[in-house]
């Protein structure tokens, strides 16, 4: 049986109900469901205790995954995760616009209709300043998935990537 302990910061409230964990801090609140019949999650005083009920390798690895998710949730409700991306182009200037739900990529390689990317997560924000995008939010998965979808939407297929380097690329993760 493996066991992991995670310290809960003072300014964060933590609640376990069935398999759902709710974490709330000054930067927002996150909720996630953790399902596993072989992993027990409990709160004792100011610690989260994760226990694997078997000695199987799969359960020990899942214990590590749950631990990482919980640490990211605790960090996210205290401070934002932030990704920076940059638009790169050689001939047609890329114009990027955003609203609360979508990122519009206009004039990508001279296309007339804009490419649209949905922003994942209610708390994820995308800010545009010139050719740089800043994607931020308390949920690391939502921020990372939004950045990946933006990067993937501007991937040029079927052309030599050494020549056609236009696109939006993640340049920094915090």
């Amino acid at each position: 049986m493996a066991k992991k302990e995670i310290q809960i910061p003072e300014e964060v409230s933590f609640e376990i109900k069935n398999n759902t964990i709710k974490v709330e801090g000054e930067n927002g609140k996150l909720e996630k469901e953790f399902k596993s019949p072989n992993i027990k999650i409990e709160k004792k005083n100011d610690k989260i205790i994760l226990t694997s009920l078997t000695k199987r390798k799969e359960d020990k690895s899942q214990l590590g995954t749950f631990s990482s998710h919980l640490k990211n949730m605790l960090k996210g409700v205290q401070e934002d995760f932030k990704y920076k991306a940059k638009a790169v182009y050689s001939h047609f200037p890329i114009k990027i616009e955003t609203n609360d739900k979508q990122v519009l990529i206009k004039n990508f390689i001279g296309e007339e209709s804009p490419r649209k990317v949905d922003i994942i997560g209610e708390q994820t924000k995308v800010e545009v300043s010139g050719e740089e995008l800043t994607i931020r939010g308390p949920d690391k998965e939502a921020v990372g998935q939004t950045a990946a979808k933006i990067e993937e939407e501007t991937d040029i297929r079927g052309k030599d990537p050494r020549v056609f380097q236009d696109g939006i690329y993640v340049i920094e993760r915090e």
Side-chain angles (χ1 to χ4, degrees):
M1 289 190 354
K3 190 177 196 178
K4 289 200 178 221
E5 291 184 6
I6 302 169
Q7 184 72 32
I8 302 172
E10 290 180 22
E11 58 274 0
V12 174
S13 68
F14 182 87
E15 183 183 324
I16 302 172
K17 198 173 206 178
N18 297 331
N19 291 329
T20 304
I21 294 178
K22 294 179 183 177
V23 181
E24 189 171 344
E26 62 185 42
N27 196 36
K29 56 176 120 173
L30 296 173
E31 186 174 322
K32 190 171 183 92
E33 188 173 8
F34 292 89
K35 282 188 179 179
S36 176
N38 298 327
I39 296 195
K40 182 178 163 189
I41 303 172
E42 57 188 345
K43 179 184 175 187
K44 284 190 181 173
N45 300 327
D46 58 345
K47 290 185 180 179
I48 305 165
I49 298 171
L50 301 160
T51 311
S52 173
L53 303 175
T54 66
K55 292 184 178 183
R56 291 180 35 200
K57 188 173 16 173
E58 292 87 357
D59 293 333
K60 287 181 183 178
S61 66
Q62 193 169 36
L63 183 75
T65 302
F66 283 9
S67 171
S68 294
H69 282 302
L70 287 169
K71 286 177 185 174
N72 287 336
M73 288 172 71
L74 292 171
K75 183 181 175 191
V77 296
Q78 294 176 303
E79 61 184 68
D80 276 339
F81 289 98
K82 187 166 77 172
Y83 281 48
K84 287 187 178 181
K86 186 170 183 167
V88 178
Y89 56 87
S90 58
H91 188 266
F92 297 103
I94 299 172
K95 295 180 188 104
I96 305 163
E97 294 177 7
T98 183
N99 57 33
D100 289 343
K101 298 185 192 293
Q102 282 187 330
V103 176
L104 298 173
I105 304 161
K106 295 182 176 180
N107 201 35
F108 180 68
I109 57 175
E111 295 174 340
E112 289 185 19
S113 59
R115 294 185 178 204
K116 298 175 185 174
V117 178
D118 292 330
I119 296 173
I120 298 172
E122 297 172 6
Q123 301 173 37
T124 306
K125 304 289 180 223
V126 178
E127 300 159 2
V128 180
S129 61
E131 296 171 359
E132 288 202 2
L133 281 94
T134 304
I135 304 134
R136 63 174 62 232
D139 188 355
K140 186 175 186 177
E141 289 178 45
V143 172
Q145 284 295 316
T146 302
K149 283 179 76 173
I150 291 169
E151 199 172 49
E152 182 184 34
E153 191 63 35
T154 60
D155 184 30
I156 301 173
R157 293 173 190 87
K159 304 249 188 230
D160 188 349
R162 296 169 295 180
V163 177
F164 295 93
Q165 295 180 352
D166 294 25
I168 299 174
Y169 302 100
V170 174
I171 56 172
E172 189 178 319
R173 294 173 177 87
E174 289 180 29

